[in-house]
Amino acid sequence: MDLQDLEFINKALDADVELREKIKDEVSELDKKTRSMVGFLNKIHSTPLEQIPSLVDSVRPNLQDLRTTTAALHALIPLDQFWRWKDMWSNSMRNAVFCATLMEYLTSGTLMSMAGVSGALGIQDGWKDRFALPVEDYLHGLITLVNELSRLAVNAVTLGNYEEPIRISKFVKDLFAGFSMLNLKNDTLRRRYDSLKYDIKKIEEVVYDVSLRKLATAT
Amino acid sequence: MSASQFDSLRTKDAIVDLFDHFRDELDQQNDRRERLIKSSRDITNLSKKYIFLLHRIATEDTQDDLQLRAMRAVEQARPKLRDIQNIFASMKPELVGDLYWKHQKSISPGLQEYIEALSFSHYLEYGTLVSFADVQESMSDDDGPYFPLTISDYLLGLSDLTGELMRFAISAISRRGGRTKANEICTFVRRCKADFEGMCPRVRGLSKKQHVTNQSLQKIEDAAYTIAIRSSEYDLPDDILDDIVARCISGYDTRHQNYDRQPERWKDGEEDEDEYF
């Protein structure tokens, strides 16, 4: 290799290393933020129904705060290189999706769309050649949501909220109908999708228990 | 501010509708990925054949000088190289914009094999290492590159070149002018090894290949040693020595024990170029 080539390659490699470090800093920030949100939201399992709205409201600023990190990542990623780096923050983003959709469910009982989540995280359409929310990450987040809701179905009953499991059951079944539309390849998303049926089964059992004892009025 | 201001899906139909879009998008992604993996495999396959062809012609049993034969090999094999480059051209529309990085892992095995093939032919023709710019140039048309070449693919492809040079040096050693050639290759591979060493920590997978380079280098050195020791027993002109040497080491050509790169690769039923990181 002649000297010029050698220098060119070394420079390019150094630049990559430097960029990776910068991204890593932002990602660890994102990770910290989403983890603490997940921690806060864990309180739903021990919070009575009437206090849930204020709990969700208290976490909203944290969700809002994620926007600074997504904006920082967008500023770092070179044009068209989103997929090169995205593995570094996939997990954090999935957690962020989970938090946003859980909060929406607790607020309105509905599913927040992918565009909705992108909006909540401050991800703009115009960013797409540098930073975006990929379908896979949104779907991963939703599966985490179902996992969490199956727990909530159980714990809500313990707290005396007998209607919640029925609401959850309806919501999760609709969501599952959506997932059934997909042709998933053999990857982690597929494996996690396959595990959804256990969550559904658990929720069904809770619904069965409360209806059998006429604890819930809805059908 | 409430999160509810963002689009929410209130009905099952709305959810199913959304997932309908997801299915289309995911299907499209997967199909594209499959097509690219297939192209990558085709490129790997053709590149291997191209390399074998170069070896065959370059070490043909004729009285011609090695360099002459090497040039002939490159010339004769050129259409095959063109075939491979045409496959890259056909991949261009699937790799525009951010698609390149999305599918980089699917195409990089074929790409590296191609770089190995290209660098081998470049070495036969010019006796130098093909430059990054030349590789990118070979995968371009008037509108520019088909897709961006990464340093990592470039280096990992070049790293495989040393194995081919080892084969070439050892097969050529019994041919006329082969001992000089083997020494040239030895020097060249030593320089490659030195150049790559400093890049190892920054390029994933390079240190593993560097290990193979070491082994190749050692084989060339051992062969050179054999030649030196044998020739020291005679005080004869070079061409007569050539004949003696041809008899001495004819075993290198036919017994494949020196080509342990192959068994190593086949051991786990997987070709090393087909690794997906």
Side-chain angles (χ1 to χ4, degrees):
Chain A
M1 221 177 276
D2 65 39
L3 227 57
Q4 224 175 352
D5 264 7
L6 209 58
E7 197 182 333
F8 162 74
I9 285 170
N10 274 320
K11 262 196 186 138
L13 290 175
D14 285 343
D16 279 353
V17 170
E18 198 184 320
L19 181 57
R20 180 175 296 274
E21 286 306 315
K22 281 186 187 159
I23 295 175
K24 213 191 251 168
D25 289 345
E26 289 305 328
V27 168
S28 83
E29 196 59 27
L30 185 67
D31 196 40
K32 237 186 288 174
K33 287 175 178 174
T34 50
R35 273 174 202 277
S36 83
M37 273 177 80
V38 172
F40 278 131
L41 286 169
N42 235 305
K43 290 188 191 144
I44 57 170
H45 297 288
S46 52
T47 306
L49 183 64
E50 60 277 9
Q51 287 167 30
I52 293 273
S54 64
L55 172 68
V56 173
D57 281 336
S58 74
V59 187
R60 270 192 222 290
N62 298 52
L63 186 65
Q64 186 84 23
D65 189 35
L66 291 183
R67 294 173 177 215
T68 51
T69 314
T70 53
L73 282 171
H74 163 253
L76 281 175
I77 307 302
L79 184 68
D80 289 335
Q81 289 198 7
F82 170 73
W83 294 99
R84 179 178 188 184
W85 307 102
K86 79 157 280 265
D87 287 345
M88 293 175 72
W89 60 75
S90 284
N91 271 327
S92 310
M93 280 308 273
R94 289 167 189 178
N95 275 332
V97 171
F98 159 66
C99 292
T101 51
L102 178 62
M103 284 159 71
E104 179 66 16
Y105 171 80
L106 294 170
T107 312
S108 68
T110 57
L111 175 67
M112 191 186 246
S113 71
M114 191 161 93
V117 176
S118 293
L121 300 176
I123 301 169
Q124 295 168 20
D125 259 0
W127 290 5
K128 59 173 188 298
D129 36 18
R130 293 175 200 270
F131 194 88
L133 177 64
V135 177
E136 287 92 334
D137 288 347
Y138 175 68
L139 295 175
H140 270 287
L142 293 187
I143 291 176
T144 314
L145 173 67
V146 174
N147 298 154
E148 190 74 2
L149 289 179
S150 79
R151 246 185 93 202
L152 182 63
V154 174
N155 293 327
V157 170
T158 314
L159 290 173
N161 178 0
Y162 303 125
E163 313 294 330
E164 195 59 43
I166 294 163
R167 234 162 45 109
I168 290 176
S169 165
K170 164 90 178 56
F171 177 80
V172 169
K173 272 185 187 160
D174 288 353
L175 196 52
F176 187 74
F179 270 102
S180 323
M181 312 272 306
L182 306 176
N183 305 315
L184 296 173
K185 64 178 158 77
N186 246 344
D187 57 4
T188 47
L189 189 60
R190 168 68 186 271
R191 281 195 289 281
R192 293 194 68 204
Y193 161 75
D194 284 342
S195 73
L196 278 184
K197 56 182 178 289
Y198 300 109
D199 291 317
I200 292 178
K201 181 166 169 273
K202 192 163 148 197
I203 296 166
E204 282 310 297
E205 279 166 6
V206 178
V207 171
Y208 178 78
D209 283 342
V210 293
S211 359
L212 197 68
R213 292 171 178 79
K214 300 201 169 27
L215 291 171
T217 49
T219 48
Chain B
M1 191 179 68
S2 154
S4 312
Q5 66 170 312
F6 301 115
D7 336 1
S8 252
L9 306 163
R10 292 182 185 280
T11 63
K12 182 177 171 179
D13 285 347
I15 293 177
V16 167
D17 206 41
L18 176 73
F19 276 75
D20 236 358
H21 287 295
F22 291 163
R23 184 183 52 207
D24 291 345
E25 192 179 331
L26 291 175
D27 283 355
Q28 211 186 350
Q29 274 175 28
N30 288 338
D31 293 347
R32 183 181 297 119
R33 184 174 160 270
E34 293 296 330
R35 284 195 297 274
L36 288 170
I37 288 177
K38 187 170 176 305
S39 300
S40 170
R41 281 186 181 279
D42 289 345
I43 288 170
T44 304
N45 199 2
L46 287 174
S47 300
K48 280 186 204 287
K49 286 183 183 158
Y50 175 74
I51 291 170
F52 275 116
L53 181 63
L54 289 181
H55 275 303
R56 250 191 322 268
I57 308 174
T59 55
E60 258 172 4
D61 219 355
T62 62
Q63 291 303 306
D64 292 340
D65 173 67
L66 256 182
Q67 188 51 37
L68 209 69
R69 272 182 279 180
M71 296 301 281
R72 193 166 58 219
V74 174
E75 219 35 68
Q76 282 184 21
R78 215 181 283 281
K80 299 264 175 219
L81 195 62
R82 213 8 74 208
D83 288 346
I84 305 172
Q85 286 157 351
N86 286 339
I87 300 182
F88 281 121
S90 75
M91 291 158 80
K92 185 181 178 181
E94 310 255 40
L95 296 170
V96 289
D98 66 345
L99 287 179
Y100 171 72
W101 276 107
K102 183 163 176 59
H103 297 288
Q104 194 257 350
K105 286 174 190 148
S106 306
I107 58 172
S108 128
L111 187 53
Q112 288 177 23
E113 195 71 23
Y114 163 74
I115 293 169
E116 175 183 347
L118 183 71
S119 59
F120 185 39
S121 106
H122 186 94
Y123 179 80
L124 290 180
E125 199 170 352
Y126 304 104
T128 57
L129 202 58
V130 68
S131 74
F132 182 82
D134 285 344
V135 177
Q136 178 76 81
E137 173 71 32
S138 79
M139 297 184 296
S140 307
D141 54 23
D142 296 340
D143 302 330
Y146 300 140
F147 49 83
L149 173 67
T150 63
I151 303 262
S152 141
D153 282 334
Y154 170 67
L155 291 176
L156 293 172
L158 286 188
S159 204
D160 290 333
L161 168 67
T162 56
E164 294 313 324
L165 290 180
M166 179 271 291
R167 285 162 165 237
F168 179 54
I170 288 179
S171 332
I173 223 164
S174 62
R175 307 279 185 256
R176 211 150 294 280
R179 280 168 303 129
T180 329
K181 195 81 204 163
N183 279 329
E184 265 172 49
I185 291 178
C186 196
T187 315
F188 182 79
V189 172
R190 276 193 192 123
R191 270 198 55 198
C192 289
K193 177 172 131 62
D195 283 347
F196 293 164
E197 203 63 53
M199 299 165 185
C200 277
R202 291 171 293 172
V203 180
R204 200 171 174 178
L206 188 58
S207 53
K208 207 175 110 196
K209 297 214 173 186
Q210 192 74 348
H211 183 65
V212 179
T213 298
N214 280 341
Q215 290 178 332
S216 303
L217 183 57
Q218 218 165 358
K219 278 171 205 158
I220 306 172
E221 286 171 348
D222 288 349
Y225 163 82
T226 312
I227 302 297
I229 216 80
R230 297 276 152 93
S231 55
S232 74
E233 295 166 9
Y234 306 89
D235 188 19
L236 295 168
D238 260 5
D239 49 338
I240 299 178
L241 265 180
D242 273 338
D243 293 336
I244 297 168
V245 165
R247 264 173 279 135
C248 279
I249 54 139
S250 58
Y252 272 113
D253 272 347
T254 47
R255 277 178 293 135
H256 280 233
Q257 66 184 28
N258 286 293
Y259 298 166
D260 81 344
R261 217 187 123 211
Q262 280 193 351
E264 201 173 43
R265 180 196 310 173
W266 292 339
K267 203 162 46 193
D268 45 14
E270 187 107 41
E271 299 167 63
D272 58 352
E273 294 79 8
D274 288 334
E275 271 175 2
Y276 295 105
F277 288 109

